[in-house]
Amino acid sequence: MASSRTLNSQSISEITAKEKELTGQDRPVAGGPAAQAQKHANQPVSSDVVSDVAQGEKKVTGRDVPVSGGPAALAQSIASSVSPYNQFRPAIHGAETELTGQDQPVKGGPTAQAQSHANEPINSQNLHDITEGEKKVTGGQRVKGGPTATAQSELGKSRS
């Protein structure tokens, strides 16, 4: 696997196909996920690219949350292949959701901290930042099975 994936024509075609599944239309929607992906053609798939595709998806669905298996999910999976750290974000987000009872990440919380380190190797600074984010949503405590524990567990799995 390459150390970085670019948003090549095949990736853009796949995102376009996912958009068509959502809209039922043959042509991409102006400002939709395919159009957003096209803006980033031949660029590394970063969190900014995923965010733009998600905004395009929101435009065609009217929903704040990306569709499972939709264009934004596909862009995220491409981005996840860039760095193992990106794969941890869904796990960290899930642990945060358990704590807060909300699907939306908390500003400055553990998911946001993980997002800020997208495409970086996992290290003690990343884990420290996730811990600080966790403390923000818990009122200063680390929680057994919480976001930090989840990140550490995922890190252990990636090394084995």
Short mmCIF file of all heavy atoms in Angstrom, two decimals, residues 22-70:
data_model
loop_
_atom_site.label_atom_id
_atom_site.label_comp_id
_atom_site.label_asym_id
_atom_site.label_seq_id
_atom_site.Cartn_x
_atom_site.Cartn_y
_atom_site.Cartn_z
N LEU A 22 -27.43 7.81 -4.25
CA LEU A 22 -28.23 8.66 -3.35
C LEU A 22 -29.27 9.47 -4.09
O LEU A 22 -30.40 9.63 -3.62
CB LEU A 22 -27.32 9.63 -2.58
CG LEU A 22 -26.39 9.06 -1.54
CD1 LEU A 22 -25.54 10.18 -0.94
CD2 LEU A 22 -27.17 8.35 -0.45
N THR A 23 -28.89 10.01 -5.26
CA THR A 23 -29.78 10.94 -5.95
C THR A 23 -30.68 10.28 -6.97
O THR A 23 -31.73 10.84 -7.31
CB THR A 23 -28.95 12.03 -6.68
OG1 THR A 23 -28.17 11.40 -7.71
CG2 THR A 23 -28.07 12.79 -5.72
N GLY A 24 -30.26 9.12 -7.49
CA GLY A 24 -31.02 8.49 -8.56
C GLY A 24 -30.87 9.21 -9.89
O GLY A 24 -31.58 8.91 -10.85
N GLN A 25 -29.96 10.16 -9.97
CA GLN A 25 -29.75 10.93 -11.19
C GLN A 25 -28.47 10.46 -11.88
O GLN A 25 -27.54 10.01 -11.23
CB GLN A 25 -29.61 12.42 -10.86
CG GLN A 25 -30.84 13.01 -10.21
CD GLN A 25 -30.63 14.48 -9.82
OE1 GLN A 25 -29.71 15.13 -10.31
NE2 GLN A 25 -31.49 14.97 -8.96
N ASP A 26 -28.45 10.60 -13.22
CA ASP A 26 -27.27 10.19 -13.98
C ASP A 26 -26.13 11.19 -13.86
O ASP A 26 -24.97 10.82 -14.01
CB ASP A 26 -27.62 10.03 -15.47
CG ASP A 26 -28.41 8.75 -15.71
OD1 ASP A 26 -28.33 7.84 -14.86
OD2 ASP A 26 -29.08 8.67 -16.74
N ARG A 27 -26.47 12.44 -13.64
CA ARG A 27 -25.43 13.48 -13.60
C ARG A 27 -25.16 13.90 -12.16
O ARG A 27 -26.09 14.01 -11.36
CB ARG A 27 -25.89 14.69 -14.39
CG ARG A 27 -26.26 14.34 -15.82
CD ARG A 27 -26.46 15.60 -16.57
NE ARG A 27 -25.13 16.14 -16.83
CZ ARG A 27 -24.67 16.42 -18.03
NH1 ARG A 27 -25.42 16.21 -19.08
NH2 ARG A 27 -23.46 16.91 -18.19
N PRO A 28 -23.90 14.20 -11.85
CA PRO A 28 -23.59 14.71 -10.51
C PRO A 28 -24.26 16.07 -10.26
O PRO A 28 -24.47 16.85 -11.19
CB PRO A 28 -22.07 14.87 -10.52
CG PRO A 28 -21.59 14.00 -11.65
CD PRO A 28 -22.69 13.99 -12.65
N VAL A 29 -24.56 16.32 -9.01
CA VAL A 29 -25.20 17.57 -8.60
C VAL A 29 -24.12 18.64 -8.42
O VAL A 29 -23.05 18.35 -7.87
CB VAL A 29 -25.94 17.35 -7.25
CG1 VAL A 29 -26.49 18.66 -6.71
CG2 VAL A 29 -27.04 16.32 -7.42
N ALA A 30 -24.40 19.85 -8.89
CA ALA A 30 -23.46 20.96 -8.69
C ALA A 30 -23.23 21.14 -7.19
O ALA A 30 -24.18 21.25 -6.41
CB ALA A 30 -24.01 22.24 -9.30
N GLY A 31 -21.97 21.13 -6.79
CA GLY A 31 -21.64 21.29 -5.37
C GLY A 31 -21.80 20.03 -4.55
O GLY A 31 -21.59 20.03 -3.34
N GLY A 32 -22.21 18.94 -5.20
CA GLY A 32 -22.40 17.66 -4.51
C GLY A 32 -21.07 16.97 -4.25
O GLY A 32 -20.00 17.51 -4.51
N PRO A 33 -21.14 15.74 -3.72
CA PRO A 33 -19.92 15.05 -3.34
C PRO A 33 -18.93 14.82 -4.49
O PRO A 33 -17.73 14.98 -4.31
CB PRO A 33 -20.39 13.73 -2.75
CG PRO A 33 -21.86 13.67 -2.93
CD PRO A 33 -22.34 15.00 -3.38
N ALA A 34 -19.44 14.47 -5.67
CA ALA A 34 -18.54 14.25 -6.81
C ALA A 34 -17.86 15.55 -7.21
O ALA A 34 -16.65 15.56 -7.50
CB ALA A 34 -19.30 13.65 -7.99
N ALA A 35 -18.61 16.64 -7.22
CA ALA A 35 -18.03 17.94 -7.55
C ALA A 35 -16.98 18.34 -6.53
O ALA A 35 -15.92 18.87 -6.88
CB ALA A 35 -19.13 19.00 -7.64
N GLN A 36 -17.25 18.06 -5.26
CA GLN A 36 -16.28 18.39 -4.21
C GLN A 36 -15.02 17.54 -4.38
O GLN A 36 -13.90 18.04 -4.22
CB GLN A 36 -16.89 18.17 -2.83
CG GLN A 36 -18.03 19.10 -2.50
CD GLN A 36 -17.59 20.55 -2.40
OE1 GLN A 36 -16.44 20.87 -2.12
NE2 GLN A 36 -18.51 21.46 -2.67
N ALA A 37 -15.21 16.27 -4.70
CA ALA A 37 -14.06 15.39 -4.91
C ALA A 37 -13.23 15.87 -6.10
O ALA A 37 -12.00 15.89 -6.05
CB ALA A 37 -14.52 13.95 -5.13
N GLN A 38 -13.91 16.27 -7.16
CA GLN A 38 -13.23 16.73 -8.37
C GLN A 38 -12.32 17.92 -8.07
O GLN A 38 -11.24 18.04 -8.65
CB GLN A 38 -14.26 17.09 -9.44
CG GLN A 38 -13.67 17.35 -10.79
CD GLN A 38 -13.02 16.12 -11.40
OE1 GLN A 38 -13.59 15.04 -11.39
NE2 GLN A 38 -11.82 16.27 -11.91
N LYS A 39 -12.75 18.79 -7.15
CA LYS A 39 -11.93 19.96 -6.78
C LYS A 39 -10.57 19.53 -6.24
O LYS A 39 -9.61 20.29 -6.29
CB LYS A 39 -12.61 20.78 -5.68
CG LYS A 39 -13.77 21.60 -6.11
CD LYS A 39 -14.33 22.53 -5.04
CE LYS A 39 -13.91 22.29 -3.62
NZ LYS A 39 -14.65 23.09 -2.64
N HIS A 40 -10.51 18.33 -5.68
CA HIS A 40 -9.29 17.84 -5.05
C HIS A 40 -8.59 16.77 -5.89
O HIS A 40 -7.79 16.00 -5.36
CB HIS A 40 -9.61 17.27 -3.66
CG HIS A 40 -10.14 18.29 -2.71
ND1 HIS A 40 -9.34 19.22 -2.10
CD2 HIS A 40 -11.40 18.52 -2.26
CE1 HIS A 40 -10.09 19.98 -1.32
NE2 HIS A 40 -11.34 19.58 -1.40
N ALA A 41 -8.91 16.70 -7.17
CA ALA A 41 -8.33 15.68 -8.05
C ALA A 41 -6.81 15.68 -7.96
O ALA A 41 -6.18 16.74 -7.95
CB ALA A 41 -8.76 15.92 -9.49
N ASN A 42 -6.26 14.49 -7.85
CA ASN A 42 -4.81 14.25 -7.79
C ASN A 42 -4.13 14.84 -6.55
O ASN A 42 -2.92 15.00 -6.53
CB ASN A 42 -4.13 14.74 -9.07
CG ASN A 42 -4.68 14.03 -10.28
OD1 ASN A 42 -4.84 12.81 -10.27
ND2 ASN A 42 -5.01 14.78 -11.31
N GLN A 43 -4.91 15.14 -5.52
CA GLN A 43 -4.36 15.59 -4.25
C GLN A 43 -4.41 14.43 -3.25
O GLN A 43 -5.25 13.54 -3.38
CB GLN A 43 -5.16 16.76 -3.67
CG GLN A 43 -5.12 18.02 -4.49
CD GLN A 43 -5.99 19.11 -3.88
OE1 GLN A 43 -6.46 19.00 -2.76
NE2 GLN A 43 -6.22 20.17 -4.65
N PRO A 44 -3.55 14.45 -2.23
CA PRO A 44 -3.66 13.43 -1.20
C PRO A 44 -5.03 13.53 -0.51
O PRO A 44 -5.56 14.63 -0.34
CB PRO A 44 -2.55 13.79 -0.21
CG PRO A 44 -1.60 14.64 -0.99
CD PRO A 44 -2.42 15.35 -2.02
N VAL A 45 -5.59 12.38 -0.15
CA VAL A 45 -6.90 12.36 0.50
C VAL A 45 -6.68 12.69 1.98
O VAL A 45 -6.21 11.87 2.75
CB VAL A 45 -7.60 11.01 0.33
CG1 VAL A 45 -8.98 11.05 0.97
CG2 VAL A 45 -7.71 10.65 -1.14
N SER A 46 -7.01 13.93 2.33
CA SER A 46 -6.81 14.42 3.68
C SER A 46 -8.16 14.59 4.36
O SER A 46 -9.22 14.40 3.75
CB SER A 46 -6.11 15.78 3.64
OG SER A 46 -6.98 16.73 3.02
N SER A 47 -8.13 15.01 5.63
CA SER A 47 -9.38 15.26 6.35
C SER A 47 -10.16 16.40 5.69
O SER A 47 -11.39 16.41 5.72
CB SER A 47 -9.10 15.57 7.81
OG SER A 47 -8.23 16.67 7.93
N ASP A 48 -9.46 17.36 5.06
CA ASP A 48 -10.15 18.44 4.35
C ASP A 48 -10.94 17.90 3.16
O ASP A 48 -12.06 18.35 2.90
CB ASP A 48 -9.15 19.49 3.85
CG ASP A 48 -8.55 20.32 4.98
OD1 ASP A 48 -9.14 20.34 6.08
OD2 ASP A 48 -7.50 20.93 4.74
N VAL A 49 -10.36 16.96 2.44
CA VAL A 49 -11.05 16.34 1.30
C VAL A 49 -12.29 15.61 1.79
O VAL A 49 -13.39 15.78 1.24
CB VAL A 49 -10.11 15.38 0.54
CG1 VAL A 49 -10.87 14.61 -0.51
CG2 VAL A 49 -8.95 16.14 -0.09
N VAL A 50 -12.14 14.82 2.85
CA VAL A 50 -13.28 14.08 3.40
C VAL A 50 -14.37 15.05 3.84
O VAL A 50 -15.55 14.85 3.57
CB VAL A 50 -12.84 13.17 4.58
CG1 VAL A 50 -14.05 12.51 5.22
CG2 VAL A 50 -11.85 12.12 4.09
N SER A 51 -13.97 16.13 4.50
CA SER A 51 -14.93 17.14 4.95
C SER A 51 -15.68 17.77 3.77
O SER A 51 -16.90 17.94 3.83
CB SER A 51 -14.19 18.22 5.76
OG SER A 51 -15.09 19.22 6.14
N ASP A 52 -14.96 18.10 2.71
CA ASP A 52 -15.62 18.70 1.54
C ASP A 52 -16.60 17.73 0.89
O ASP A 52 -17.71 18.12 0.50
CB ASP A 52 -14.58 19.16 0.51
CG ASP A 52 -13.84 20.43 0.93
OD1 ASP A 52 -14.23 21.04 1.94
OD2 ASP A 52 -12.88 20.80 0.23
N VAL A 53 -16.21 16.46 0.78
CA VAL A 53 -17.11 15.46 0.20
C VAL A 53 -18.34 15.31 1.10
O VAL A 53 -19.48 15.21 0.62
CB VAL A 53 -16.39 14.11 -0.02
CG1 VAL A 53 -17.38 13.02 -0.43
CG2 VAL A 53 -15.29 14.26 -1.09
N ALA A 54 -18.12 15.33 2.42
CA ALA A 54 -19.25 15.23 3.36
C ALA A 54 -20.19 16.44 3.21
O ALA A 54 -21.42 16.28 3.26
CB ALA A 54 -18.74 15.12 4.79
N GLN A 55 -19.62 17.63 3.01
CA GLN A 55 -20.46 18.81 2.79
C GLN A 55 -21.26 18.68 1.49
O GLN A 55 -22.43 19.06 1.43
CB GLN A 55 -19.59 20.08 2.76
CG GLN A 55 -19.07 20.50 4.11
CD GLN A 55 -20.17 20.74 5.12
OE1 GLN A 55 -21.17 21.39 4.84
NE2 GLN A 55 -20.01 20.18 6.31
N GLY A 56 -20.61 18.13 0.47
CA GLY A 56 -21.32 17.89 -0.79
C GLY A 56 -22.45 16.89 -0.62
O GLY A 56 -23.53 17.05 -1.17
N GLU A 57 -22.17 15.85 0.18
CA GLU A 57 -23.21 14.84 0.45
C GLU A 57 -24.38 15.48 1.21
O GLU A 57 -25.54 15.21 0.91
CB GLU A 57 -22.62 13.69 1.26
CG GLU A 57 -23.63 12.60 1.54
CD GLU A 57 -23.02 11.40 2.23
OE1 GLU A 57 -21.87 11.02 1.92
OE2 GLU A 57 -23.71 10.82 3.09
N LYS A 58 -24.06 16.32 2.16
CA LYS A 58 -25.11 17.01 2.93
C LYS A 58 -26.01 17.82 1.99
O LYS A 58 -27.22 17.87 2.16
CB LYS A 58 -24.45 17.91 3.97
CG LYS A 58 -25.42 18.68 4.83
CD LYS A 58 -24.65 19.51 5.86
CE LYS A 58 -25.58 20.38 6.66
NZ LYS A 58 -24.87 21.20 7.63
N LYS A 59 -25.37 18.41 0.96
CA LYS A 59 -26.14 19.21 -0.01
C LYS A 59 -27.17 18.35 -0.75
O LYS A 59 -28.29 18.79 -0.98
CB LYS A 59 -25.19 19.88 -1.00
CG LYS A 59 -25.92 20.72 -2.02
CD LYS A 59 -25.00 21.52 -2.89
CE LYS A 59 -25.85 22.35 -3.83
NZ LYS A 59 -25.11 23.40 -4.45
N VAL A 60 -26.80 17.13 -1.10
CA VAL A 60 -27.74 16.29 -1.86
C VAL A 60 -28.72 15.53 -0.98
O VAL A 60 -29.80 15.18 -1.44
CB VAL A 60 -27.03 15.32 -2.84
CG1 VAL A 60 -26.20 16.07 -3.85
CG2 VAL A 60 -26.21 14.27 -2.13
N THR A 61 -28.35 15.28 0.29
CA THR A 61 -29.26 14.52 1.16
C THR A 61 -30.07 15.40 2.10
O THR A 61 -31.11 14.99 2.59
CB THR A 61 -28.49 13.50 2.03
OG1 THR A 61 -27.63 14.21 2.92
CG2 THR A 61 -27.72 12.51 1.18
N GLY A 62 -29.53 16.59 2.40
CA GLY A 62 -30.18 17.45 3.37
C GLY A 62 -29.98 16.99 4.80
O GLY A 62 -30.57 17.53 5.73
N ARG A 63 -29.13 15.98 4.99
CA ARG A 63 -28.88 15.42 6.32
C ARG A 63 -27.51 15.85 6.83
O ARG A 63 -26.56 15.91 6.07
CB ARG A 63 -28.94 13.89 6.27
CG ARG A 63 -30.33 13.37 5.91
CD ARG A 63 -30.36 11.88 5.70
NE ARG A 63 -29.72 11.16 6.79
CZ ARG A 63 -29.45 9.86 6.75
NH1 ARG A 63 -29.75 9.16 5.69
NH2 ARG A 63 -28.86 9.27 7.77
N ASP A 64 -27.43 16.11 8.14
CA ASP A 64 -26.15 16.50 8.74
C ASP A 64 -25.21 15.32 8.89
O ASP A 64 -24.00 15.49 8.97
CB ASP A 64 -26.37 17.12 10.13
CG ASP A 64 -26.90 18.54 10.02
OD1 ASP A 64 -26.67 19.20 8.99
OD2 ASP A 64 -27.54 19.00 10.98
N VAL A 65 -25.77 14.12 8.95
CA VAL A 65 -24.95 12.92 9.17
C VAL A 65 -24.75 12.19 7.85
O VAL A 65 -25.71 11.96 7.12
CB VAL A 65 -25.66 11.98 10.18
CG1 VAL A 65 -24.84 10.74 10.43
CG2 VAL A 65 -25.93 12.72 11.48
N PRO A 66 -23.50 11.84 7.52
CA PRO A 66 -23.27 11.11 6.27
C PRO A 66 -24.00 9.77 6.24
O PRO A 66 -24.20 9.13 7.28
CB PRO A 66 -21.75 10.88 6.26
CG PRO A 66 -21.20 11.94 7.16
CD PRO A 66 -22.26 12.16 8.21
N VAL A 67 -24.39 9.36 5.05
CA VAL A 67 -25.08 8.09 4.84
C VAL A 67 -24.07 6.95 4.95
O VAL A 67 -22.97 7.03 4.40
CB VAL A 67 -25.73 8.09 3.43
CG1 VAL A 67 -26.34 6.73 3.12
CG2 VAL A 67 -26.76 9.19 3.32
N SER A 68 -24.46 5.90 5.64
CA SER A 68 -23.60 4.72 5.74
C SER A 68 -23.36 4.18 4.34
O SER A 68 -24.29 3.94 3.58
CB SER A 68 -24.28 3.67 6.61
OG SER A 68 -23.51 2.51 6.66
N GLY A 69 -22.09 4.01 3.98
CA GLY A 69 -21.75 3.50 2.66
C GLY A 69 -21.86 4.53 1.54
O GLY A 69 -21.75 4.19 0.38
N GLY A 70 -22.08 5.79 1.91
CA GLY A 70 -22.23 6.84 0.91
C GLY A 70 -20.91 7.45 0.49
O GLY A 70 -19.83 6.94 0.83
#
